[in-house]
Amino acid sequence: MGELISVIVPVYNSGQYISSCAESVLMQTYSDIELLLVDDGSEDNSLEICEDFCKKDNRIRLIKQEHGGVSAARNLGIEAAEGKYLFFLDSDDTIHPQLLEALYKLQEERHTVIAAEGRQYGRDDIFLKTSDVKTAVKSMPKSFYLDNKKALKYINRPILCGIGGKLISHKAVHSVRFKENLSHGEDTLFIYQLLANGADLSVLCRNWYYYRMHKDNASRNFSLKPCRDRYRVERYICNCEIRNGRIQNAVFREWNIVIRITEWYGAAKMHQNQELMKYIRNLAKREKKLKIFHRLNWWRKLYFYLFLYCYPVSGLALKVSKKI
């Protein structure tokens, strides 16, 4: 018997995907788990599917709430979790049968706050299915360790992109919760708050989290509210890094903000979203007045000015700036 892992899955209108998601958890080679399905007031058949799963396996608990958003659902899962470790999984994704065992062994060996792994991406129509071969992890796959200082630099890299697939020490979470007033970027902020509290990171060198790409992915939403929320998170992190004297990290965050602003503007132009275009133009004008903006190298600043005053040319400047 090992330590209990609480797998938290927020569920909202996920009837098309929740079965494959739950099955990928139940077929894990590591069996000391509790699967917390948190129904967020679904209006499709998700609740019925979850109830059927509860009848099949006593390791599953169904938690219900009125629709409050994914952050509220995850927070409810954290409060109900009884495991030593928390593992977050989105209801439209799946995981490799050996993932939890590998992450557990890594955590027990390294004693880090967060353990993560790589991702595989698949389109909805050709989504990669998990293997049904259940074999124990006899020898640990390669991994690497990032202390807190290095982990803070990786906050926007793929290994820390999103909360899905992260095995986190329950004890280390303390009072950290997902911000329920954010519809986007809440997972990035959650991870950053853990790192700001001193968390370190172990990374499993396997792409064993299977991320389903489809038209409803929240990360692909380019309307006004998601962009505002993402900017609020990015600006908060950048300002925190400045206050803590990690200027190099702050400059990296600022460049990330600049890239996001231009991407949002491009999407707004493509969809002729005048409201978003106006917001982005005003945001860009305020951004270039910040002291941290002027720490960007001259090519990156040139790219941003071209974005403001000669948008069609900015794409070429971006390609050049990435090489500098």
Side-chain angles (χ1 to χ4, degrees), residues 312-324:
V313 183
S314 62
L316 177 61
L318 174 61
K319 292 179 181 179
V320 176
S321 68
K322 286 182 177 179
K323 298 178 182 179
I324 297 180

Side-chain angles (χ1 to χ4, degrees), residues 102-115:
L103 290 179
Y104 173 75
K105 289 184 175 181
L106 188 59
Q107 284 287 59
E108 291 294 293
E109 176 186 315
R110 295 276 179 81
H111 303 290
T112 53
V113 172
I114 305 171

Side-chain angles (χ1 to χ4, degrees), residues 8 10 70 74 86-90 114-117 119 160-168 178 186-188 190-191 194 209:
I8 299 173
V70 65
R74 287 175 179 149
L86 307 176
F87 181 83
F88 293 92
L89 174 62
D90 289 340
I114 305 171
E117 74 293 318
R119 290 182 170 188
L160 282 175
C161 180
I163 194 64
K166 306 300 185 293
L167 186 69
I168 300 174
F178 294 91
E186 76 291 336
D187 47 356
T188 299
F190 182 87
I191 293 173
L194 291 176
Y209 186 93

Side-chain angles (χ1 to χ4, degrees), residues 258-317:
V258 166
I259 293 296
R260 282 181 176 270
I261 286 175
T262 56
E263 287 177 347
W264 297 336
Y265 189 74
K269 283 182 67 69
M270 181 183 301
H271 298 287
Q272 288 300 298
N273 187 331
Q274 298 298 326
E275 182 183 36
L276 181 57
M277 289 171 64
K278 181 179 179 181
Y279 167 73
I280 295 300
R281 284 195 294 265
N282 290 334
L283 186 64
K285 290 177 181 178
R286 295 199 305 269
E287 197 69 24
K288 68 185 182 71
K289 296 178 182 179
L290 299 177
K291 289 182 179 180
I292 192 65
F293 173 82
H294 293 282
R295 286 182 172 266
L296 296 176
N297 66 40
W298 68 276
W299 258 113
R300 291 178 174 177
K301 284 186 283 190
L302 174 62
Y303 159 69
F304 196 61
Y305 285 122
L306 288 173
F307 155 73
L308 282 176
Y309 304 112
C310 189
Y311 179 77
V313 183
S314 62
L316 177 61

Side-chain angles (χ1 to χ4, degrees), residues 103-253:
L103 290 179
Y104 173 75
K105 289 184 175 181
L106 188 59
Q107 284 287 59
E108 291 294 293
E109 176 186 315
R110 295 276 179 81
H111 303 290
T112 53
V113 172
I114 305 171
E117 74 293 318
R119 290 182 170 188
Q120 286 190 38
Y121 295 84
R123 294 201 310 274
D124 188 32
D125 56 340
I126 56 172
F127 187 59
L128 295 171
K129 294 183 179 180
T130 56
S131 169
D132 59 1
V133 179
K134 294 180 69 174
T135 57
V137 181
K138 296 180 180 179
S139 60
M140 275 297 298
K142 290 183 179 179
S143 62
F144 61 91
Y145 169 77
L146 294 174
D147 61 24
N148 177 253
K149 185 177 179 180
K150 290 182 179 178
L152 279 165
K153 295 180 180 180
Y154 275 74
I155 184 64
N156 222 44
R157 305 293 175 84
I159 59 169
L160 282 175
C161 180
I163 194 64
K166 306 300 185 293
L167 186 69
I168 300 174
S169 168
H170 195 168
K171 184 171 62 175
V173 171
H174 296 300
S175 60
V176 177
R177 294 294 183 270
F178 294 91
K179 299 298 183 185
E180 297 181 15
N181 62 336
L182 294 174
S183 61
H184 294 75
E186 76 291 336
D187 47 356
T188 299
L189 181 58
F190 182 87
I191 293 173
Y192 176 76
Q193 288 175 317
L194 291 176
L195 296 178
N197 288 341
D200 52 358
L201 176 72
S202 294
V203 181
L204 185 73
C205 298
R206 287 289 188 276
N207 296 328
W208 280 356
Y209 186 93
Y210 302 131
Y211 181 91
R212 191 189 304 268
M213 299 176 66
H214 54 82
K215 62 182 178 61
D216 296 323
N217 285 141
S219 59
R220 302 174 69 84
N221 193 328
F222 288 102
S223 58
L224 181 59
K225 174 107 175 40
C227 292
R228 272 182 173 161
D229 284 351
R230 292 190 191 108
Y231 178 78
R232 285 173 58 193
V233 170
E234 292 292 336
R235 173 53 51 211
Y236 174 84
I237 294 174
C238 184
N239 290 343
C240 284
E241 292 301 281
I242 293 172
R243 286 196 299 270
N244 286 285
R246 295 186 287 263
I247 303 302
Q248 186 176 359
N249 287 2
V251 171
F252 176 81
R253 301 304 303 184

